[in-house]
């Protein structure tokens, strides 16, 4: 009996999979399985769905099995059966239909969505495979690494190939030329200065030949020495040293200035590009990681460009020029000098790849360290409120220890490589001494030539050793550059149009036709049609996850729609310039964000050039002027990071004033009063009444009572509009809105009843306590 189970080995211990084997007939092969982890009431319950080459099998939470044949009695494809897949708000659904009705349905969390899609695809292809006998199964091939479908006529997964075909990260440094190109003239001047300073440092060893052969050795043998010749040689040594110092200072200063500007341009370009990316990019990134990339990675590249790249160029020039001089003096001795080069080159080649991958891993681990800091420091109030200081310290200690372990592993390789290169250079120097002494004994060279050779070799091997050490910093810079270009290469999902339509006097008519949107594999909005007239106030209501916030995000164009279109005044919003369009939208969020600075600066954030009179007028309209004047510095008072110096209601009124100041035609209110007390809510509501006048307003609120002033209420459920109308009309229908309102009213009554009961119990207990105390005091 042959069975094919496409499941992990770790899953074979699952009782449902064990039971599945007992359900299979002889030579019946399992094509796909799906763990169904939700019951019809969306409670967690374990089940199994399996597709074989004959049947669809389903095991319920109670272990009961059902089966539907894929083939009819004649052995031909059962064309009447259809398996449908859809998902919403984190829940996937599979439904089995025949020609007349739904036969069964299964619910699962989206962690199994890939397996579900695979099962649906194989189910649909069962008929093609059976009827044609070949070919169709090949089109359903999946990548063995990521389990995603392969393109037709291709054996390569695009997602995996993108990772496999990434060039060695060392070459990414060449992409920095894009930022170096504006400074090419300064770089050329720096290169010429490097060439000149290197040549100047090669003069002193050459002058040791006449110093030894014409001055020191004859003087030691009792010959008369001409003073002018000694002065000339010593003057040449001094002049070469001074000239080398001046040239070296000039090129170091010039290239340091250039590298700082390249680093600044790189940081600016990266941050500018980061601001242009859509919100979904930030949803998958950690703040600490992005801060690390823009900060420490660009600093590392800057240091490499200003110091180590310059040293590398100097080393290469020194080695080449020294080699030419050595061969011009004595070719045989020069060949002996170059003996260690192949071994050192081989070691650099072997170690380079280990260093590159090691430094890339170090960068990732270091970003984990910064992520802990970025999480803990802004949330220090929560940490202290729940007395979790030790927990956060332990979390930091663990990532820091991981960082230490990764560095130790890399240092083990590096610590072996560097001394080995030094040992090879020392051995090479010893061989040159031995061969040189033999040549002097044969009178083929003079002592002065050997002395010059040793001096040149000292420079040669020093630069060779320096080049080997630069391998480390080069790989660090390459790893950092790769992480920077990962940001720069990312394309925004909300692109700018090539020829944007200019926005004149915006009226604020919004029209949505056939709207659809997906978060990855999860469908959030589908088939939505809605029209909002200029100046109309719309209230969006519905259960959590019904798509309300997603809809306003699409209107703000934080995301682009997957299907359909959103039009403002008859123009698709994708034809507007993104920044130009958003200037006409005012946004008041449930959690208002204030920047570190003064209150005036926060109110004028959307209009930096606003006058103090305009700022005060906006604050008055937002009912914020009174509490601002009570602060020590008034409008010039610092609010602290994220507005921690103000209460929640005060921060909200500042955000309303910020929205008022830009005078938007379209206003978005996303739960603007949900997190404040009743008295503060009344203040904010009065501010909102001023804000919505004459503007197209879309308001989201869980407290349905706050939306009674809306012209129309739009009830959403599972990403679709199910009801539209005024409050009274929707209540009269007794539909979805009526059920929401009644459920909320019952909840409020229950809460108030609980509070009254609790107050009664407290009053009774207090009375009894007082009565007991009175009797105790009067025995």
């Amino acid at each position: 009996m042959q069975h094919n189970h496409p499941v992990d080995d770790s899953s074979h211990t699952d009782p449902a999979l064990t039971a599945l084997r007992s359900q299979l007939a002889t030579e019946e092969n399992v094509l796909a399985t799906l763990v169904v982890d939700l019951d019809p009431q969306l409670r967690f319950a374990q089940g199994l769905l399996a597709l074989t080459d004959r049947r669809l099998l389903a095991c319920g939470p109670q272990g009961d099995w059902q089966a539907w044949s894929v083939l009819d009695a004649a052995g031909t494809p059962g064309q009447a059966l259809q398996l449908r897949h859809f998902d919403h708000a984190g829940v996937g659904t599979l439904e089995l239909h025949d020609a007349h009705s739904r036969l069964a349905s299964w619910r699962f969390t989206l962690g199994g969505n890939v397996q579900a899609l695979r099962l649906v695809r194989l189910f649909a292809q069962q008929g093609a495979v059976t009827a044609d006998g070949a070919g169709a199964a090949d089109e359903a091939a999946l990548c063995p690494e990521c389990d995603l479908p392969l393109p037709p006529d291709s054996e390569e997964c695009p997602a995996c190939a993108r990772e496999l075909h990434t060039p060695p990260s060392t070459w990414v440094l060449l992409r920095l030329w894009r930022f170096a190109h504006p400074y090419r003239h300064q770089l050329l001047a720096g290169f010429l200065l490097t060439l000149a300073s290197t040549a100047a440092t090669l003069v002193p060893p050459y002058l040791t030949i006449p110093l030894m052969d014409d001055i020191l050795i004859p003087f030691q043998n009792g010959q008369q020495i001409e003073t002018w010749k000694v002065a000339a040689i010593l003057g040449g040594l001094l002049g070469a040293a001074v000239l080398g110092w001046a040239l070296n200072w000039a090129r170091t200063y010039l290239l340091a200035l250039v590298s700082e500007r390249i680093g600044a341009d790189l940081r600016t370009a990266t941050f500018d590009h980061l601001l242009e990316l859509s919100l979904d990019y930030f949803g998958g990134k950690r703040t600490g990681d992005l801060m690390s990339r823009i900060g420490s990675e660009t600093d590392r590249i800057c240091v490499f460009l200003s110091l180590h790249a310059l040293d590398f160029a100097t080393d290469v020039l020194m080695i080449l020029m020294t080699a030419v001089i050595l061969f011009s003096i004595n070719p045989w001795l020069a060949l002996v000098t170059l003996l260690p080069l192949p071994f050192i080159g081989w070691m650099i080649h072997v170690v380079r790849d280990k260093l590159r991958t090691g430094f890339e891993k170090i960068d990732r681990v270091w970003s984990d360290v910064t992520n802990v800091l970025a999480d803990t420091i802004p949330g220090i109030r929560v940490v202290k409120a729940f007395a979790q200081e030790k927990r956060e310290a332990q979390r930091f200690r663990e990532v820091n220890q991981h960082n230490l372990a990764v560095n130790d592993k890399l240092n083990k390789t590096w610590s072996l490589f560097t001394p080995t290169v030094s040992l090879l250079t020392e051995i090479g120097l010893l061989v040159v001494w031995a061969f040189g002494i033999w040549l002097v004994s044969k009178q083929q060279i003079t002592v002065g030539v050997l002395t010059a050779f040793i001096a040149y070799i000292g420079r040669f091997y020093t630069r060779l050793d320096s080049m080997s050490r630069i391998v480390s910093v080069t790989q660090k810079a390459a790893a950092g550059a790769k992480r920077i270009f990962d940001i720069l290469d990312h394309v925004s999902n909300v692109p700018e149009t090539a020829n944007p339509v200019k926005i004149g006097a915006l009226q604020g008519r919004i029209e949505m036709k056939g709207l659809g949107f997906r978060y990855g594999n999860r469908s959030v909005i589908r088939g939505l049609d809605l029209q909002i007239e200029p100046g109309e106030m719309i209230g969006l209501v519905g259960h959590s996850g019904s798509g309300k916030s997603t809809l306003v995000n699409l209107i703000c164009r934080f995301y682009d729609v997957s299907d359909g279109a959103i039009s403002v005044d008859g123009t698709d919003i994708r034809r507007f310039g993104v920044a130009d369009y958003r200037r006409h939208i005012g946004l008041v969020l449930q959690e208002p964000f204030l920047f570190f600075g003064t209150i005036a600066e926060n109110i004028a954030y959307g209009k930096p050039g606003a006058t103090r009179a305009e700022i005060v007028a906006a604050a008055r309209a937002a009912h914020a002027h009174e509490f601002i004047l009570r602060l020590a510095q008034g409008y010039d008072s610092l609010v602290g990071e994220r507005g921690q110096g103000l209460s929640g209601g005060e921060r909200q009124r500042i955000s309303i004033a910020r929205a008022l100041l830009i005078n938007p035609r379209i206003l978005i209110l996303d739960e603007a009063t949900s997190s404040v007390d009743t008295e503060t809510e009344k203040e904010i509501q009065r501010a909102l009444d001023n804000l919505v006048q004459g503007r197209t307003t879309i308001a989201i609120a869980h407290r349905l009572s706050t939306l009674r002033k809306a012209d129309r209420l739009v009830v959403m459920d599972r990403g679709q509009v199910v009801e539209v109308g005024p409050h009274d009309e929707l209540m009269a229908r007794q539909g979805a809105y009526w059920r929401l309102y009644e459920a909320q009213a019952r909840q409020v009554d229950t809460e108030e009843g609980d509070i009254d009961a609790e107050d009664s119990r407290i009053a009774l207990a207090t009375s009894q306590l007082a009565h007991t105390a009175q009797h105790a005091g009067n025995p």
Side-chain angles (χ1 to χ4, degrees):
M1 182 171 66
Q2 178 186 5
H3 300 306
N4 176 26
H5 304 290
V7 292
D8 296 332
D9 293 338
S10 60
S11 302
H12 283 206
T13 57
D14 193 307
L17 290 175
T18 304
L20 172 62
R21 297 189 185 96
S22 65
Q23 299 291 321
L24 299 177
T26 304
E27 297 185 356
E28 183 178 7
N29 293 327
V30 177
L31 303 178
T33 60
L34 171 66
V35 175
V36 181
D37 53 0
L38 296 175
D39 65 9
Q41 289 74 39
L42 298 183
R43 293 187 295 252
F44 284 103
Q46 203 75 359
L48 184 70
L49 196 62
L51 175 68
T52 74
D53 52 0
R54 305 180 186 181
R55 299 176 294 170
L56 181 67
L57 297 165
C59 177
Q62 306 301 324
D64 50 319
W65 285 90
Q66 291 179 283
W68 295 267
S69 177
V70 180
L71 306 176
D72 61 16
T76 57
Q79 300 291 343
L81 292 182
Q82 184 182 14
L83 191 61
R84 300 175 185 175
H85 169 273
F86 56 91
D87 56 79
H88 175 73
V91 176
T93 303
L94 287 180
E95 292 184 351
L96 184 66
H97 291 256
D98 62 9
H100 308 289
S101 62
R102 185 180 70 180
L103 301 178
S105 67
W106 303 272
R107 300 285 185 90
F108 55 91
T109 57
L110 287 184
N113 206 47
V114 173
Q115 289 78 11
L117 291 171
R118 183 175 187 271
L119 190 145
V120 171
R121 186 168 54 253
L122 291 175
F123 184 91
Q125 290 169 354
Q126 276 294 90
V129 172
T130 308
D132 301 334
D138 294 336
E139 296 180 3
L142 298 178
C143 172
E145 298 294 331
C146 63
D147 204 32
L148 292 176
L150 297 176
D153 304 323
S154 174
E155 298 180 357
E156 186 174 66
C157 174
C160 297
R162 185 165 55 249
E163 297 296 328
L164 294 173
H165 295 167
T166 301
S169 61
T170 306
W171 298 104
V172 78
L173 292 173
L174 297 178
R175 298 183 63 186
L176 294 174
W177 177 249
R178 159 186 166 188
F179 299 94
H181 185 263
Y183 309 100
R184 57 191 180 279
H185 300 300
Q186 294 91 325
L187 290 173
L188 178 60
F191 176 77
L192 294 176
L193 288 170
T194 301
L195 188 64
S197 65
T198 304
T201 58
L202 292 174
V203 171
Y206 200 83
L207 292 179
T208 58
I209 297 177
L211 184 63
M212 293 293 295
D213 293 341
D214 299 339
I215 304 296
L216 294 178
I217 294 177
F219 181 76
Q220 189 178 20
N221 294 332
Q223 297 181 19
Q224 187 66 31
I225 303 300
E226 296 180 6
T227 306
W228 68 268
K229 189 178 290 187
V230 176
I233 294 175
L234 295 179
L237 291 171
L238 178 62
V242 173
L243 180 62
W245 170 83
L247 292 172
N248 198 33
W249 171 82
R251 60 112 189 198
T252 303
Y253 180 70
L254 176 62
L255 293 179
L257 291 179
V258 171
S259 66
E260 288 293 342
R261 280 151 182 77
I262 293 174
D265 292 345
L266 183 61
R267 279 190 293 271
T268 301
T270 305
F271 187 67
D272 288 347
H273 185 75
L274 197 64
L275 292 178
E276 293 173 0
L277 296 178
S278 56
L279 287 183
D280 66 333
Y281 177 82
F282 296 92
K285 299 295 179 183
R286 300 286 297 273
T287 302
D289 178 53
L290 295 177
M291 290 170 59
S292 174
R293 295 192 193 196
I294 296 177
S296 60
E297 301 298 357
T298 52
D299 284 343
R300 181 182 294 175
I301 293 170
C302 185
V303 170
F304 169 77
L305 293 174
S306 62
L307 297 177
H308 303 297
L310 182 63
D311 291 340
F312 182 78
T314 305
D315 294 340
V316 172
L317 288 173
M318 179 69 79
I319 289 173
L320 293 176
M321 296 170 71
T322 303
V324 170
I325 293 173
L326 291 177
F327 274 98
S328 67
I329 295 175
N330 190 293
W332 291 108
L333 198 55
L335 284 174
V336 173
T337 304
L338 300 178
L339 277 178
L341 268 181
F343 299 101
I344 295 175
W346 174 77
M347 288 187 62
I348 291 175
H349 174 72
V350 171
V351 171
R352 182 188 61 187
D353 291 336
K354 292 184 179 180
L355 291 177
R356 182 184 69 244
T357 55
F359 285 126
E360 288 178 357
K361 188 173 183 180
I362 285 175
D363 286 340
R364 291 194 297 269
V365 173
W366 180 248
S367 70
D368 291 339
V369 176
T370 56
N371 283 334
V372 174
L373 295 174
D375 286 344
T376 306
I377 294 175
I380 191 64
R381 179 173 295 185
V382 177
V383 173
K384 289 186 174 297
F386 289 91
Q388 294 298 308
E389 292 90 345
K390 291 184 178 179
R391 175 187 176 186
E392 293 301 328
Q394 179 62 26
R395 191 158 70 103
F396 183 81
R397 192 176 294 110
E398 288 174 357
V399 295
N400 199 28
Q401 194 65 32
H402 187 205
N403 175 61
L404 183 63
V406 172
N407 276 277
D408 285 345
K409 184 178 180 180
L410 187 65
N411 289 333
K412 190 180 298 182
T413 301
W414 182 244
S415 62
L416 178 64
F417 171 71
T418 305
T420 304
V421 172
S422 300
L423 177 63
L424 289 174
T425 57
E426 291 295 333
I427 293 174
L429 186 60
L430 182 62
V431 171
V432 171
W433 267 111
F435 189 65
I437 292 171
W438 183 79
L439 290 177
V440 170
S441 68
K442 297 294 183 180
Q443 296 184 351
Q444 295 185 18
I445 61 172
T446 64
V447 175
V449 171
L450 179 59
T451 304
F453 242 92
I454 296 301
Y456 278 121
I457 289 171
R459 284 169 165 74
F460 182 86
Y461 283 145
T462 299
R463 294 299 182 176
L464 197 61
D465 186 58
S466 174
M467 281 187 65
S468 67
R469 296 175 188 275
I470 288 176
V471 172
S472 171
V473 294
T474 301
Q475 297 308 319
K476 285 183 180 179
K482 183 179 180 181
R483 284 162 55 79
I484 290 293
F485 282 108
D486 282 345
I487 296 177
L488 293 174
D489 293 340
H490 194 90
V491 179
S492 174
N493 291 339
V494 182
E496 284 278 8
T497 181
N499 299 301
V501 175
K502 297 295 182 182
I503 301 179
L506 202 67
Q507 295 181 2
R509 177 181 290 105
I510 304 173
E511 187 174 3
M512 291 160 262
K513 292 183 178 179
L515 214 61
F517 180 72
R518 302 177 66 87
Y519 280 120
N521 290 326
R522 181 162 61 95
S523 177
V524 181
I525 292 179
R526 52 184 174 274
L528 188 147
D529 295 312
L530 182 64
Q531 185 165 330
I532 305 172
E533 297 300 325
E536 187 178 19
M537 182 177 179
I538 293 293
L540 288 181
V541 300
H543 294 292
S544 296
S546 59
K548 304 184 298 296
S549 294
T550 301
L551 182 61
V552 298
N553 284 337
L554 293 174
I555 294 173
C556 294
R557 213 189 164 201
F558 294 147
Y559 305 95
D560 269 345
V561 297
S562 304
D563 302 298
I566 300 176
S567 300
V568 173
D569 292 353
T571 303
D572 192 320
I573 62 174
R574 288 171 290 192
R575 297 182 59 195
F576 296 133
V578 176
D580 191 23
Y581 169 65
R582 288 179 184 159
R583 288 192 188 98
H584 295 80
I585 297 178
L587 188 61
V588 180
L589 300 173
Q590 177 181 1
E591 295 291 338
F593 186 94
L594 300 185
F595 295 91
F596 185 87
T598 67
I599 288 180
E601 290 170 345
N602 273 280
I603 294 176
Y605 184 78
K607 189 179 179 181
T611 63
R612 182 54 63 97
E614 291 175 318
I615 293 172
V616 172
R620 285 183 181 277
H623 290 260
H625 181 69
E626 291 76 11
F627 84 78
I628 293 175
L629 291 183
R630 289 196 296 268
L631 299 175
Q633 305 296 325
Y635 283 85
D636 296 319
S637 300
L638 291 174
V639 298
E641 187 173 4
R642 304 190 181 188
Q644 293 299 319
L646 302 175
S647 68
E650 290 169 343
R651 288 198 300 271
Q652 190 64 281
R653 278 176 277 175
I654 294 294
S655 70
I656 293 172
R658 182 167 58 193
L660 272 166
L661 187 60
I662 65 173
N663 193 24
R665 292 302 306 155
I666 299 173
L667 180 64
I668 307 291
L669 305 176
D670 191 354
E671 300 286 352
T673 62
S674 66
S675 58
V676 294
D677 58 83
T678 305
E679 197 62 36
T680 304
E681 181 183 357
K682 292 178 181 178
E683 286 288 329
I684 294 175
Q685 198 61 52
R686 284 194 289 268
L688 291 176
D689 291 343
N690 293 333
L691 184 58
V692 301
Q693 289 179 5
R695 296 179 173 88
T696 303
T697 304
I698 301 172
I700 300 175
H702 279 113
R703 298 179 187 174
L704 302 182
S705 58
T706 62
L707 295 177
R708 287 192 174 186
K709 295 182 180 178
D711 299 308
R712 285 186 299 161
L713 297 173
V714 175
V715 186
M716 296 187 64
D717 184 37
R718 298 189 178 187
Q720 295 178 313
V721 174
V722 294
E723 281 186 336
V724 179
H727 169 79
D728 294 338
E729 179 182 325
L730 294 180
M731 289 296 291
R733 292 183 193 175
Q734 294 193 356
Y737 178 77
W738 177 81
R739 289 191 293 272
L740 280 172
Y741 195 90
E742 289 296 311
Q744 194 170 101
R746 285 194 298 272
Q747 181 181 0
V748 170
D749 290 342
T750 302
E751 290 176 353
E752 289 178 350
D754 292 342
I755 293 172
D756 292 341
E758 183 67 19
D759 290 343
S760 299
R761 287 193 292 271
I762 293 173
L764 179 61
T766 304
S767 173
Q768 291 174 346
L769 183 63
H771 181 72
T772 303
Q774 182 179 2
H775 282 282
N778 300 287

